[in-house]
Amino acid sequence: MALKWWQKTVVYQVYPKSFMDTTGSGQGDIRGITEKLDYLKTLGVGAVWLTPVYRSPMVDNGYDIADYKSIDPSYGTMKDMENLIAEAKDRNIRIVMDLVYNHTSDQHAWFRESRKSRDNAKSDWYIWRDAKEDGAPPTNWRSIFGGSAWTWCEERQQYYLHTFASQQPDLNWENPQVRQALYDAANFWLEKGVGGFRIDAIVYIKKPKELLDGVPDGGDDMVNIHTMTANTPGILDFLREFKEKVFAGHDIFTVAEANGVGPEDLKHWVGENGIFDMLFEFSHTCLEFPEGEIWYKAEGYSPRLIPRLKACLSASQAATASDGWYPIFFENHDQPRCVRHFFPDEADPGAAAKAMAMTLFTLRGTPFVYQGQELGMDNVAWDSIEDYDDISSHGQYELAIQSGCSPEKAIRAVHRYSRDNARTPMQWDRGRQAGFTSGTPWLPVHEDYAMCCVEAEAQEETSVLSFYRRLSHLRREGNAAEVLQGGSYRELLPEREDIFAFCRKLRGRETFTFVNFTGKTADYDKELLEGAELLLGSMENACKGTLRPYEAVCYYRESETEVRSDENCRQ
Ligand code: GLC
């Protein structure tokens, strides 16, 4: 089947607050994104996903929306947004908006009305419950950012539910008026010409009929709300309606954040009979969290992660082999930088970044690149929890302390998993504040910026940025492009604990990817590559059969008879 435009392109994720500041405010803005469209073009980007830019009190950096149809003044105006969409379109880039539909901000007019009384017009637009007899919250659920998932409201004398922060009350999707209001907002953006949607935290929109206590899983007698509400049966009915009223019939793509939707459920969510075009699932980014995402309990990086990473990636490739499509991603605004997540502390970030890039661009699926990933940007490690802005870092730190961890252990977990790792300003040049702002940046610029920035890397043939550009080019043009876009996937060397290797194949053309995830030289049988030529290597002088530490290579082979007979068929 012919591939759609979003299956052939590269998607780039922009975190607007940290991307480019044109006013000196210390925060990025929409004009800054427009200014950098030509840069994105050099990466072969066909769509830019913006995390939320709507009006918001910014408790969770825009994931707490106060008005779905307006732009936050800190980012600019609706005119700026329209201009961005138009300028992007001129460059064949589509702008993808983030729909945060599980919850709003507590400052949204809907919630301000709802909280006033038990009988106002919007009284059941959110999830309200009475206290238990002793005044305690209705259930023992812990919100994803820590603390109870219920907050008491004096005016109504009831609790309201929030999967995330207390300033992010959950909407009541059972109410048809709520659903219609959300569809209207999405249609508003479609009319403005956006090219797709990323749909936030969507697995939480359906709540169980009865809200019951769960078995505690931390040191605070609470249970993660995810365990109690994610993917509740009945959710697909809401989603089918959502599709019908909004996405159906538009030449856009949708990608849902669907934590916990595994390969077995996939067919209901994506593909021919599914709802979305793609979904983000997190099995490969949660490898070190066997018991749910509690940072202090995570084992951190260890070589044991590599076989698990391979297994997850292969499972997701298999799940979409005949139907459905995955976005391939290793970073986003909620994840640590991949050069630390999947590699030991001593690994050279440049080599690690290229190894990950090779994996990203040669697997089957649409590559999603998160800002700065193409430079090999690294994690930060600030001294005190007070230095961190990210609301979940604070929640996780508190939980660690409450559970008896020392402050040193608690901050180490924050260093490793804080979402601020990915949110430090984009590193444009060697100048003041890495060219991000003429003012004081809202988060400090990473200290490695003089080496790791667009200015330094653009001219350097062996840089991470140049490697990304080459990979993106290979996926778009030349003999291997079609294979890399649409070819089948077969894992090679599945028993190896150091090398991730796979083959892609389409009509007599094959690519072979070999990535060494360890700091040791790794040999493999070079017969596998008989007749194949090197397409791209992450280091100079690649040698068939041997990978140096963190080296990644991609080879290409074509079987003349198969290619020729296919071309004859197509004529
Ligand atoms: C998603 C977003 C995250 C946000 C949360 C609440 O997981 O990616 O950044 O904090 O939803 O909206």
Side-chain angles (χ1 to χ4, degrees):
M1 222 169 46
L3 295 181
K4 307 227 170 63
W5 68 269
W6 48 266
Q7 293 174 302
K8 296 194 274 190
T9 198
V10 176
V11 182
Y12 188 91
Q13 184 191 347
V14 166
Y15 196 69
K17 195 167 177 179
S18 303
F19 193 61
M20 181 65 203
D21 172 19
T22 60
T23 64
S25 67
Q27 294 189 20
D29 46 54
I30 290 170
R31 287 185 182 196
I33 305 169
T34 312
E35 240 175 49
K36 296 296 183 185
L37 286 171
D38 288 329
Y39 164 72
L40 297 181
K41 207 62 214 163
T42 69
L43 281 163
V45 166
V48 174
W49 153 29
L50 301 186
T51 57
V53 288
Y54 316 95
R55 193 159 67 72
S56 163
M58 303 286 169
V59 170
D60 185 19
N61 285 344
Y63 281 94
D64 46 326
I65 297 174
D67 178 0
Y68 288 105
K69 296 185 186 171
S70 70
I71 297 293
D72 194 80
S74 67
Y75 287 131
T77 62
M78 188 59 84
K79 268 245 120 5
D80 294 337
M81 189 66 208
E82 288 163 354
N83 188 44
L84 169 63
I85 295 171
E87 289 285 327
K89 212 168 250 169
D90 284 350
R91 292 165 178 80
N92 209 12
I93 296 177
R94 326 229 183 161
I95 298 296
V96 172
M97 300 289 272
D98 210 317
L99 296 182
V100 187
Y101 277 4
N102 174 66
H103 47 268
T104 67
S105 159
D106 62 348
Q107 299 308 309
H108 196 295
W110 301 342
F111 187 73
R112 282 198 279 167
E113 174 77 26
S114 189
R115 68 179 303 153
K116 278 188 192 146
S117 65
R118 297 183 186 202
D119 56 9
N120 65 70
K122 299 211 163 27
S123 60
D124 74 340
W125 278 46
Y126 294 83
I127 298 173
W128 295 96
R129 289 288 185 282
D130 292 336
K132 280 186 179 161
E133 264 174 26
D134 61 356
T139 66
N140 68 341
W141 300 352
R142 184 192 314 109
S143 76
I144 288 182
F145 293 156
S148 173
W150 296 96
T151 292
W152 178 250
C153 170
E154 271 305 308
E155 279 159 292
R156 259 182 87 135
Q157 292 287 301
Q158 275 186 315
Y159 281 98
Y160 65 87
L161 183 68
H162 47 90
T163 300
F164 296 91
S166 64
Q167 298 89 340
Q168 293 167 296
D170 279 31
L171 285 159
N172 177 15
W173 271 68
E174 303 293 336
N175 181 333
Q177 290 176 328
V178 169
R179 303 203 299 273
Q180 193 54 51
L182 296 173
Y183 305 152
D184 286 349
N187 282 318
F188 171 87
W189 288 104
L190 280 176
E191 274 160 35
K192 296 247 175 249
V194 302
F197 296 112
R198 179 262 188 184
I199 300 111
D200 184 71
I202 198 70
V203 292
Y204 302 115
I205 59 172
K206 176 90 185 175
K207 311 297 189 265
K209 265 211 180 73
E210 259 191 292
L211 310 186
L212 302 170
D213 282 343
V215 183
D217 62 6
D220 58 359
D221 286 333
M222 290 194 253
V223 57
N224 190 336
I225 189 170
H226 177 89
T227 318
M228 307 306 292
T229 63
N231 301 319
T232 298
I235 188 171
L236 293 169
D237 298 330
F238 287 157
L239 296 179
R240 279 185 207 109
E241 182 187 82
F242 191 2
K243 175 179 178 181
E244 187 192 305
K245 299 267 171 112
V246 181
F247 318 135
H250 290 276
D251 181 25
I252 59 165
F253 76 78
T254 53
V255 53
E257 187 193 32
N259 198 358
V261 175
E264 51 311 330
D265 295 331
L266 200 68
K267 61 176 180 300
H268 304 298
W269 287 75
V270 296
E272 203 130 315
N273 301 311
I275 289 142
F276 302 108
D277 294 311
M278 299 181 263
L279 61 79
F280 290 120
E281 67 93 29
F282 297 89
S283 56
H284 67 293
T285 59
C286 294
L287 300 167
E288 60 279 66
F289 296 108
E291 302 175 52
E293 243 179 273
I294 297 183
W295 295 356
Y296 78 84
K297 288 191 178 178
E299 47 184 282
Y301 173 83
S302 96
R304 288 196 300 271
L305 295 189
I306 302 163
R308 285 188 227 160
L309 176 66
K310 288 176 51 162
C312 285
L313 293 175
S314 278
S316 60
Q317 294 282 303
T320 50
S322 54
D323 186 28
W325 194 257
Y326 266 120
I328 311 293
F329 77 100
F330 297 116
E331 286 189 12
N332 64 32
H333 62 293
D334 297 329
Q335 298 291 329
R337 292 293 185 175
C338 67
V339 296
R340 290 295 155 237
H341 201 163
F342 304 104
F343 297 88
D345 286 349
E346 63 277 10
D348 166 49
K354 288 183 196 169
M356 237 39 227
M358 182 67 93
T359 315
L360 178 69
F361 277 83
T362 60
L363 279 170
R364 184 163 190 272
T366 301
F368 276 61
V369 179
Y370 177 71
Q371 67 183 47
Q373 184 180 347
E374 77 278 21
L375 305 174
M377 277 178 68
D378 206 338
N379 282 353
V380 286
W382 296 321
D383 294 338
S384 145
I385 187 63
E386 297 315 318
D387 299 330
Y388 284 81
D389 171 85
D390 166 30
I391 187 167
S392 73
S393 300
H394 287 267
Q396 291 276 356
Y397 183 86
E398 270 313 300
L399 180 63
I401 297 290
Q402 264 178 38
S403 310
C405 294
S406 64
E408 292 73 33
K409 181 167 181 196
I411 197 76
R412 266 203 309 277
V414 169
H415 289 167
R416 189 159 276 284
Y417 297 112
S418 174
R419 305 191 301 176
D420 283 346
N421 283 315
R423 298 177 181 187
T424 61
M426 177 68 179
Q427 294 164 194
W428 294 106
D429 61 38
R430 297 192 186 95
R432 221 183 134 264
Q433 306 295 4
F436 163 68
T437 179
S438 58
T440 306
W442 73 281
L443 273 187
V445 170
H446 196 293
E447 56 197 23
D448 73 2
Y449 75 92
M451 302 278 291
C452 176
C453 65
V454 175
E455 182 187 17
E457 295 193 27
Q459 306 309 330
E460 179 56 64
E461 285 247 332
T462 58
S463 67
V464 177
L465 178 59
S466 300
F467 195 68
Y468 265 85
R469 287 179 173 160
R470 250 175 246 140
L471 277 167
S472 174
H473 185 80
L474 279 180
R475 236 179 146 274
R476 282 194 317 274
E477 280 167 46
N479 290 344
E482 263 196 328
V483 193
L484 290 173
Q485 289 170 9
S488 63
Y489 168 89
R490 181 164 58 92
E491 187 174 2
L492 305 171
L493 311 176
E495 69 294 344
R496 292 289 292 255
E497 300 200 336
D498 48 356
I499 299 177
F500 182 36
F502 54 88
C503 164
R504 306 279 314 281
K505 183 166 188 184
L506 187 77
R507 295 191 284 258
R509 299 192 159 97
E510 289 170 295
T511 61
F512 298 87
T513 300
F514 288 80
V515 183
N516 181 1
F517 272 85
T518 71
K520 295 199 186 104
T521 301
D523 296 325
Y524 59 92
D525 181 2
K526 64 178 178 200
E527 301 278 294
L528 284 168
L529 292 174
E530 213 191 310
E533 65 194 62
L534 184 72
L535 261 186
L536 186 63
S538 66
M539 296 172 181
E540 275 171 26
N541 306 321
C543 170
K544 267 186 195 170
T546 299
L547 291 166
R548 287 161 279 181
Y550 312 113
E551 183 172 9
V553 291
C554 185
Y555 283 82
Y556 174 74
R557 177 164 78 193
E558 78 187 33
S559 134
E560 264 183 48
T561 37
E562 280 186 66
V563 171
R564 225 181 296 124
S565 75
D566 175 62
E567 275 164 6
N568 289 340
C569 290
R570 286 205 277 172
Q571 269 162 18

